[in-house]
Amino acid sequence: MTDMTTTPEGDQGAQVSTRRTTRRGGGDPATRGRTTIADGVVVKIAGLAARDVVGVHALGGGLARTFGAVRDRVPGGSKSVTRGVKAEVGEVQTALDLEIVVDYGVSITDVARAVRENVIAAVERMTGLEVVEVNIAVSDVKLPEEEEEEPEPRIQ
C-alpha cells in the first residue's frame, strides 16, 4: 500500500511505502487460556519434597503406613508418595497438611521448619501457586531398635 505524503519542505509526490502488520490473538500467549492444577499434583510434589528432608522417616500415621505397606507389596503396585499429605488447591493459592514420622534424636522443630521450606519452595516453583500454609502433624518417632512395619506375607 502506498500513501501520498507531504514532506516538511512542502514537496508533494514523495511516496512512502507503509506496511500494515496484523497482530493475531493480542497479548501475551501465557494469558490466553486457563491452567488448572489438580489437588493430586500438589500432593505428590509436597510428598516428594517432604521426604527429601533429613530426619523425616516416613509420611502418614501408623494405620496409613500399615495399609500402604500392604498396598506396596501387591504386584504392579507402587509406593504411594501421597500418603500423609492433603492439599486444598484454589485458583492461585494452596494449603497443605502433612503427617510425618521423624527419626529419633533429631530436633522436631528443625525438621518441621525444613519440611515447610522445602515443600513451599517445590510447590511454588513447580505450580506457580502461592502456598499460604503448611500444617505439620508429627504422629510418631522412629526409634533405632524398631523394626520396619512390614506385614507378614499371606502366601508362603
Side-chain angles (χ1 to χ4, degrees), residues 20-76:
R20 289 189 182 173
T21 58
T22 305
R23 263 183 90 164
R24 296 177 192 251
D28 180 20
T31 62
R32 296 185 208 166
R34 173 198 242 168
T35 302
T36 56
I37 300 171
D39 293 9
V41 172
V42 175
V43 166
K44 283 183 181 181
I45 295 167
L48 290 170
R51 282 177 175 78
D52 283 345
V53 175
V54 174
V56 174
H57 177 73
L59 269 68
L63 188 59
R65 288 195 328 266
T66 301
F67 284 132
V70 170
R71 186 177 48 242
D72 294 345
R73 294 179 140 239
V74 173

Side-chain angles (χ1 to χ4, degrees), residues 98-149:
L98 286 86
E99 187 175 359
I100 66 173
V101 177
V102 297
D103 292 321
Y104 177 79
V106 299
S107 167
I108 292 173
T109 55
D110 289 347
V111 170
R113 183 180 322 108
V115 167
R116 271 191 192 90
E117 290 172 355
N118 209 33
V119 167
I120 289 169
V123 170
E124 287 184 347
R125 178 180 51 83
M126 293 181 71
T127 66
L129 295 169
E130 176 191 5
V131 179
V132 293
E133 67 180 8
V134 177
N135 299 310
I136 298 173
V138 179
S139 62
D140 202 358
V141 174
K142 169 69 170 83
L143 301 175
E145 65 272 3
E146 284 182 339
E147 295 279 327
E148 284 296 319
E149 294 178 16

Side-chain angles (χ1 to χ4, degrees), residues 1-3 15-19:
M1 159 185 273
T2 52
D3 291 328
Q15 292 187 352
V16 178
S17 175
T18 59
R19 241 186 268 157

